[in-house]
Amino acid sequence: MAMAGLYRRVLPSPPAVDFASTEGKQLFLEAIQNGTMEGFFKLISYFQTQSEPAYCGLASLSMVLNALAIDPGRKWKGPWRWFDESMLDCCEPLEKVKAKGISFGKVVCLAHCAGAKVEAFRSNHSTIDDFRKQVMACTTSDNCHLISSYHRGLFKQTGSGHFSPIGGYHVGKDMALILDVARFKYPPHWVPLPLLWEAMNTIDEATGLHRGFMLITKLHRAPALLYTLSCKHESWVTISKHLMDDLPVLLSSENVKGIKDVLSTVLSNLPSNFVEFIKWIAEVRRQEENGQNLSDEEKGRLAIKEEVLKQVQDTPLYKHVTSILFSKNSICQSKAASDSSLANVAANICCQGAGLFAGRSGSSDRFCCLQTCVRCYRATGGNSATVVSGTVVNGNGEQGVDVLVPTSLAKTSCCPSGQAGCSPMHPASNDVLTALLLALPPHTWSRIKDTKVLQEIENLVSAENLPPLLQEEILHLRGQFLLLKKCKDNKVEEDLAAPPF
């Protein structure tokens, strides 16, 4: 009986040495004694197999991010916050990666977006001696990891371009340990470092540029807490083009004579689907059988998010945005009011949460939220925390989902949904739009002709005038903007430098 498919490959040796072979074990023991396997133990703790044939870049990156204990700040499945390939979508749609793979520059972009510090080097901008020094630096430390982009053909392996982390180095034999994330194909293996350099010093036919390597470490600050940009929705290209290219042209009009004109121009020209581009980060969990008690970690995290929200609402810009959005005759009012009530937001996110738990990457189109209920709990420091509970159904039954909602510290109203006078303050349109305006690149406003108005709007959106917590949030969003612009302009391959956060 014929059997379809392939079960592993025979590792060509030489040039590679199987990690589990007698020689491979000896190299490992000698490298440990020499102190050049320090990064190995954290990497091997999170070693994973790429879930798609073209996901080697995503698997390598998620493995390294987890080894560095970088908190993604959002849920993966169930109660767990964890980097997974499916979450690395801010620089390239996953379907495109699945079909064609991902370039070196966009893996660098993804690492930046995920909140890591990245130093990237193409082989034509580096040397084998520099590479060897960087390998030594990362393998003698457990807080730095190196991902290599190379061509398999130089190792007599099948396939072409590939990504994998470097797990160790043998000084005497000048050999590097590749922790191949295509574990269904080849096991981890040692290769001569000069040959690895030769494999990196090749041209990626998709971009016409050299391959290379990147060093990834942990930033001292956390990534965004409450807001994030996303290119998961296919419209992100047109939205980012509008915000970064078209908007400055609109603001150059002679009719822009005051702050109200500036903000009205921005808000009235927003694409209808801009809500897919910037979102507040909801925390979703399955309802627990023993009740809805919040853990100390959840309470603390909500308290920080609530502080970020309060700081947004305390900005002078927020007051201007709110005034324009909800003015009686505002043409922006319908956009702002659409789906922004707590009940609508809660029902939508409960359905998205159910989609996540079902493995549909946040899809909500097959779920219906029958009911929602709002409850308040005491959080850190005596502040309140809002939990919206929903019962979500689809063709396979129903499940309970909780959404942990940050609420305004100044205007929290704790009461069940539907009770008269109950108006919980959550990140709604005016909050999200204020964050969006603060995060727009400074050049957005540069073409305003009235110098007095220009100075006034620059003061309103200046990150320097923000409290430290909100400043970090906004600078992170601004950095995401710049990364997305690089992607949109196809310049992410040419400029590997980190954005100026």
Side-chain angles (χ1 to χ4, degrees):
M1 179 177 178
M3 297 183 68
L6 295 169
Y7 180 66
R8 304 192 301 182
R9 293 277 192 188
V10 176
L11 179 70
S13 180
V17 175
D18 190 329
F19 178 66
S21 68
T22 301
E23 185 182 355
K25 292 175 184 177
Q26 185 63 35
L27 290 170
F28 176 66
L29 291 174
E30 292 170 358
I32 287 180
Q33 293 170 357
N34 199 49
T36 53
M37 294 296 297
E38 292 301 309
F40 170 81
F41 297 97
K42 285 190 176 178
L43 282 174
I44 204 67
S45 298
Y46 305 101
F47 194 9
Q48 66 184 75
T49 301
Q50 60 192 78
S51 61
E52 294 287 343
Y55 272 13
C56 56
L58 303 186
S60 297
L61 183 56
S62 59
M63 175 178 162
V64 166
L65 293 171
N66 289 324
L68 289 169
I70 294 176
D71 189 337
R74 60 192 187 279
K75 298 293 181 68
W76 164 56
K77 293 181 181 179
W80 304 108
R81 300 198 308 279
W82 186 255
F83 275 109
D84 178 73
E85 297 157 312
S86 63
M87 298 165 67
L88 299 174
D89 63 352
C90 72
C91 299
E92 189 84 304
L94 290 176
E95 286 303 312
K96 186 173 180 181
V97 178
K98 186 176 179 179
K100 299 182 178 180
I102 193 168
S103 67
F104 182 78
K106 288 187 177 176
V107 174
V108 174
C109 174
L110 284 171
H112 284 308
C113 275
K117 179 181 178 181
V118 191
E119 295 178 83
F121 306 88
R122 293 195 187 277
S123 59
N124 58 325
H125 296 151
S126 185
T127 67
I128 186 172
D129 291 333
D130 289 336
F131 175 55
R132 186 179 285 109
K133 289 177 183 177
Q134 300 292 5
V135 170
M136 280 285 292
C138 280
T139 55
T140 54
S141 168
D142 63 1
N143 57 13
C144 168
H145 299 295
L146 188 150
I147 294 176
S148 173
S149 170
Y150 59 95
H151 196 290
R152 284 191 182 276
L154 275 292
F155 303 139
K156 301 179 182 178
Q157 298 173 4
T158 62
S160 53
H162 191 56
F163 290 90
S164 280
I166 301 301
Y169 176 62
H170 191 291
V171 178
K173 297 290 182 68
D174 197 20
M175 298 186 79
L177 175 62
I178 295 178
L179 296 179
D180 197 329
V181 291
R183 294 200 288 177
F184 52 86
K185 187 174 185 180
Y186 294 117
H189 47 275
W190 296 92
V191 295
L193 186 138
L195 189 59
L196 175 57
W197 173 258
E198 190 178 341
M200 292 193 302
N201 195 24
T202 53
I203 302 293
D204 179 357
E205 294 180 359
T207 63
L209 299 171
H210 283 73
R211 297 181 170 88
F213 63 97
M214 62 192 81
L215 310 176
I216 303 180
T217 54
K218 191 173 184 177
L219 286 172
H220 293 299
R221 61 166 183 77
L225 293 166
L226 188 55
Y227 303 100
T228 189
L229 303 183
S230 173
C231 76
K232 195 164 190 174
H233 192 277
E234 61 184 11
S235 64
W236 76 269
V237 174
T238 56
I239 296 173
S240 61
K241 178 183 183 302
H242 170 79
L243 292 172
M244 290 181 271
D245 296 340
D246 301 343
L247 192 54
V249 176
L250 292 172
L251 292 172
S252 67
S253 169
E254 297 285 353
N255 296 325
V256 178
K257 299 178 180 179
I259 290 299
K260 185 175 180 180
D261 295 331
V262 172
L263 298 182
S264 294
T265 298
V266 175
L267 301 178
S268 62
N269 286 284
L270 283 173
S272 59
N273 50 3
F274 81 93
V275 292
E276 299 292 342
F277 186 63
I278 179 168
K279 298 181 178 182
W280 58 277
I281 302 171
E283 301 241 1
V284 185
R285 64 178 190 174
R286 285 191 177 96
Q287 286 179 9
E288 300 174 4
E289 294 180 2
N290 59 349
Q292 295 176 330
N293 295 328
L294 300 182
S295 68
D296 290 340
E297 182 188 21
E298 288 172 326
K299 292 176 183 178
R301 201 161 58 250
L302 272 178
I304 297 174
K305 290 191 175 192
E306 288 179 347
E307 181 60 27
V308 173
L309 177 56
K310 179 180 182 297
Q311 290 180 3
V312 169
Q313 294 175 344
D314 284 343
T315 62
L317 180 63
Y318 174 82
K319 297 175 177 61
H320 284 288
V321 170
T322 302
S323 175
I324 292 173
L325 282 178
F326 299 104
S327 62
K328 186 174 181 180
N329 299 317
S330 173
I331 59 175
C332 312
Q333 187 175 13
S334 60
K335 285 184 181 180
S338 175
D339 292 329
S340 66
S341 71
L342 182 57
N344 287 337
V345 170
N348 183 46
I349 293 177
C350 284
C351 289
Q352 290 179 23
L356 282 171
F357 299 139
R360 295 195 177 99
S361 302
S363 172
S364 61
D365 56 354
R366 298 184 183 181
F367 296 89
C368 176
C369 194
L370 291 180
Q371 60 184 356
T372 58
C373 178
V374 182
R375 294 183 175 86
C376 229
Y377 296 88
R378 286 292 148 194
T380 304
N383 297 321
S384 60
T386 303
V387 177
V388 180
S389 302
T391 301
V392 181
V393 299
N394 67 354
N396 299 321
E398 65 179 48
Q399 61 180 285
V401 177
D402 289 339
V403 183
L404 312 187
V405 183
T407 55
S408 168
L409 299 181
K411 299 182 180 180
T412 299
S413 176
C414 297
C415 49
S417 178
Q419 183 172 319
C422 183
S423 55
M425 297 293 292
H426 61 289
S429 297
N430 44 344
D431 308 300
V432 175
L433 285 171
T434 300
L436 177 66
L437 292 173
L438 289 169
L440 286 173
H443 80 268
T444 303
W445 322 101
S446 61
R447 297 181 66 174
I448 295 175
K449 294 180 178 178
D450 189 312
T451 55
K452 184 178 178 181
V453 176
L454 175 60
Q455 184 176 2
E456 190 174 354
I457 189 66
E458 286 179 341
N459 287 336
L460 285 173
V461 300
S462 171
E464 295 178 359
N465 297 333
L466 302 175
L469 187 62
L470 180 57
Q471 185 180 84
E472 288 189 358
E473 182 90 354
I474 295 306
L475 290 179
H476 182 82
L477 286 174
R478 196 171 289 178
Q480 285 185 310
F481 255 117
L482 295 175
L483 287 170
L484 292 179
K485 181 170 175 58
K486 285 183 185 181
C487 289
K488 179 184 69 66
D489 295 342
N490 291 318
K491 291 182 178 179
V492 70
E493 306 300 336
E494 302 167 16
D495 183 7
L496 299 175
F501 287 99

